[in-house]
Amino acid sequence: MPVDILCKRMSDISQVYTQNAEMRPLGTSMMMIAFDDELGPCVYKTDPAGYYSAYKACSVGTKQTEANSFLEKKIKKKADLNHDETIQTAINCLSTILSADFKPTEIEVAVVSKDKPDFHVLTEKEIDDHLTAISEKD
């Protein structure tokens, strides 16, 4: 099942729950990330009201507005990021929005790619390499 169809279905279910007063709406936003044979990498986000949209990069949570602004600016500068740049952009976004300097033991990063479709959690050494690359850019 294509991820856009799945996201639309989940949004339709959420939207139905907003129509009746006695039914409590589902109270979570959801991100769906997949690799589609036709569209390539896809990121969709749906909210409790039933709205959904496709993104190149997005965030969900307390400071999602600030994080989405940060990601939008970075993606506009360079739309085609390689594997390492993508990881570093995500870590840099989190660090900037939370105003924190991370140590490798303080964050977890997981990666899924077309070439390696298995869910891979980066080791502390790999995270440290990315943190070092970020600090060298600044």
Side-chain angles (χ1 to χ4, degrees):
M1 172 181 272
V3 69
D4 57 328
I5 303 299
L6 178 61
C7 192
K8 182 178 181 344
R9 177 71 178 128
M10 294 302 294
S11 294
D12 289 345
I13 291 169
S14 294
Q15 203 280 327
V16 166
Y17 281 97
T18 65
Q19 294 179 1
N20 297 325
E22 72 274 359
M23 298 176 88
R24 183 176 180 186
L26 303 172
T28 59
S29 291
M30 184 176 1
M31 284 178 49
M32 295 184 186
I33 303 168
F35 191 87
D36 189 275
D37 292 334
E38 295 174 11
L39 303 173
C42 301
V43 178
Y44 285 85
K45 183 170 88 171
T46 181
D47 68 11
Y51 174 77
Y52 77 99
S53 186
Y55 294 88
K56 289 186 178 184
C58 71
S59 65
V60 174
T62 306
K63 295 189 176 186
Q64 72 181 13
T65 306
E66 295 93 337
N68 285 338
S69 279
F70 179 92
L71 291 168
E72 185 178 333
K73 289 175 188 172
K74 292 291 182 183
I75 298 296
K76 277 186 179 178
K77 285 182 184 175
K78 185 173 181 186
D80 193 25
L81 300 173
N82 66 32
H83 183 265
D84 289 339
E85 290 172 332
T86 303
I87 295 169
Q88 291 165 15
T89 300
I91 294 171
N92 195 14
C93 177
L94 188 62
S95 177
T96 303
I97 299 308
L98 297 178
S99 301
D101 290 327
F102 294 116
K103 296 175 187 159
T105 56
E106 296 175 335
I107 60 173
E108 288 184 64
V109 179
V111 180
V112 177
S113 66
K114 179 183 179 183
D115 301 330
K116 297 178 184 176
D118 296 331
F119 190 81
H120 171 68
V121 178
L122 299 183
T123 64
E124 287 182 14
K125 170 75 171 98
E126 292 171 315
I127 293 171
D128 190 39
D129 292 343
H130 288 294
L131 290 171
T132 303
I134 291 168
S135 65
E136 288 175 356
K137 283 182 187 176
D138 295 340

